[in-house]
Amino acid sequence: MPAVSASAPGKVILFGEHAVVYGQPAIAAPVTGVAVKVIVQPNLLQPPGSIEIDSPAVDFHATRSELPEQHPLNILFHQIEQTLHIARLPAMKIRINSTLPAGAGMGSSAAVSVAMIRAITRFIGLPLNNEQVNQIAFEVEKAFHGTPSGIDNTVITYQMPIYFIKNYQPRLIHLKEPITLVIANAGEAPSTAEMVAGVRQRWQQFPQRYEQIFRQIGRVVEAALQILENGNWQQLPPLMRENHQLLQEIGVSSPSLDKLVSAALQCGAYGAKLTGGGGGGNIIALVQPEQADSIAQKLREEGALHTWLTTLHPSENG
Ligand code: MEV
């Protein structure tokens, strides 16, 4: 069996984070400038089931037998075996290379899962379809993050902008016009699981108020979908502002995120909002392509630890 590799991109949530956990729709897009690449090769002379995993970027080195039963990677291996109806994966060495920052809200855990599932199943000659890859990646995300909506693994599996409602097949969005975004990192954030748990606690305390905000976020998402599919992206900025304000109201923004959102608007971005779990982490700013570099630089001057540029392109068959 020759070595086989597979890659998966990062992701951003454009609209609807957190409310999506409560059944509202959300929109996410892949970020193709960053990626996880997984290479699988035979582990010669080792018995079946003997798997070595190496992820130099996060200094992780382990064998399958060393991992606790409930470790996300063990869940991934079990899920593949179950889906393919095989007793034991063959002996292999798995190397994970990544330019996708871990813990920065760009979907690194889902990207690792998707790339691993694809690389392993191709390696053994039994590749899975998108739906199966997504299903397994979702099980692994639950092991990583508690009660995720599944949006991260879905957008990363399909590698297209998606309109997503929990427990439903995603709708692939065919963009009418290209969209350029600056993603800026405001610094370390609590884990997504912690942020989601915090919202859950406050939702239990103030159910009516939170339900109302979630529904309002859902309406913003519906309006954004129309614009993305029909063009006229100039109408997106007010929706970004409204979504950011609603996220502030449910307590997931932070002074550093608010500062970067204001800075982005002041230096010429059309719209900006926090993206993902919040509490730190990333904002997205919608910009004119010619201004992307200068806005990214200004955001770094205003305290962003890192910036990325990404353009979402209309799909060819759209
Ligand atoms: C994380 O990318 C998005 C959240 O809505 C959590 C989730 O949907 O699982 C915050």
Side-chain angles (χ1 to χ4, degrees), residues 11 13 16-21 105 147-152 192 196 276-277:
K11 69 96 214 298
I13 308 282
E17 48 276 270
H18 285 291
V20 68
V21 175
T147 55
S149 65
I151 193 169
D152 287 12
T192 303
V196 169

Side-chain angles (χ1 to χ4, degrees), residues 13-17 19-20 24-28 163-164 173 211-229 235-247 249 272-274 284:
I13 308 282
L14 299 182
F15 292 96
E17 48 276 270
V20 68
Q24 294 295 331
I27 296 172
Y163 168 91
F164 175 88
I173 301 178
E211 292 288 346
Q212 197 191 357
I213 297 174
F214 295 151
R215 280 196 297 274
Q216 188 53 29
I217 292 178
R219 284 192 280 273
V220 168
V221 171
E222 297 294 350
L225 175 69
Q226 296 305 318
I227 295 167
L228 292 168
E229 289 190 331
Q235 294 175 1
L236 286 178
L239 296 175
M240 295 176 84
R241 185 177 56 232
E242 185 175 355
N243 199 164
H244 186 74
Q245 281 165 355
L246 292 164
L247 290 165
E249 284 180 40
K273 65 179 275 294
L274 76 84
I284 48 172

Side-chain angles (χ1 to χ4, degrees), residues 51-207:
I51 299 178
E52 286 175 31
I53 311 126
D54 239 325
S55 180
V58 289
D59 202 17
F60 178 83
H61 313 275
T63 61
R64 179 178 184 179
S65 56
E66 288 165 4
L67 298 173
E69 192 60 17
Q70 287 310 311
H71 190 282
L73 290 182
N74 237 337
I75 295 192
L76 184 146
F77 298 137
H78 279 305
Q79 287 279 330
I80 294 177
E81 287 165 345
Q82 248 175 33
T83 307
L84 294 176
H85 306 291
I86 54 175
R88 213 102 180 96
L89 287 167
M92 57 182 121
K93 288 186 183 180
I94 300 174
R95 187 183 168 90
I96 305 166
N97 292 333
S98 182
T99 56
L100 218 172
M106 290 173 89
S108 63
S109 61
V112 167
S113 297
V114 168
M116 258 179 114
I117 298 161
R118 289 216 169 104
I120 292 171
T121 55
R122 281 180 200 159
F123 174 75
I124 55 182
L126 298 168
L128 298 174
N129 63 31
N130 281 340
E131 219 178 307
Q132 293 168 311
V133 170
N134 195 27
Q135 188 60 47
I136 297 177
F138 185 41
E139 293 306 316
V140 183
E141 281 292 277
K142 287 190 220 165
F144 268 119
H145 298 305
T147 55
S149 65
I151 193 169
D152 287 12
N153 47 280
T154 304
V155 67
I156 289 171
T157 297
Y158 287 87
Q159 301 193 21
M160 283 226 2
I162 57 165
Y163 168 91
F164 175 88
I165 300 176
K166 194 167 123 179
N167 300 330
Y168 286 89
Q169 280 292 91
R171 167 165 161 184
L172 305 181
I173 301 178
H174 297 277
L175 293 178
K176 180 85 178 196
E177 299 162 328
I179 286 179
T180 302
L181 298 172
V182 176
I183 304 167
N185 185 264
E188 199 145 311
S191 70
T192 303
E194 278 173 74
M195 296 305 294
V196 169
V199 173
R200 185 171 298 278
Q201 214 174 27
R202 296 189 288 281
W203 166 69
Q204 280 160 349
Q205 220 175 341
F206 309 106

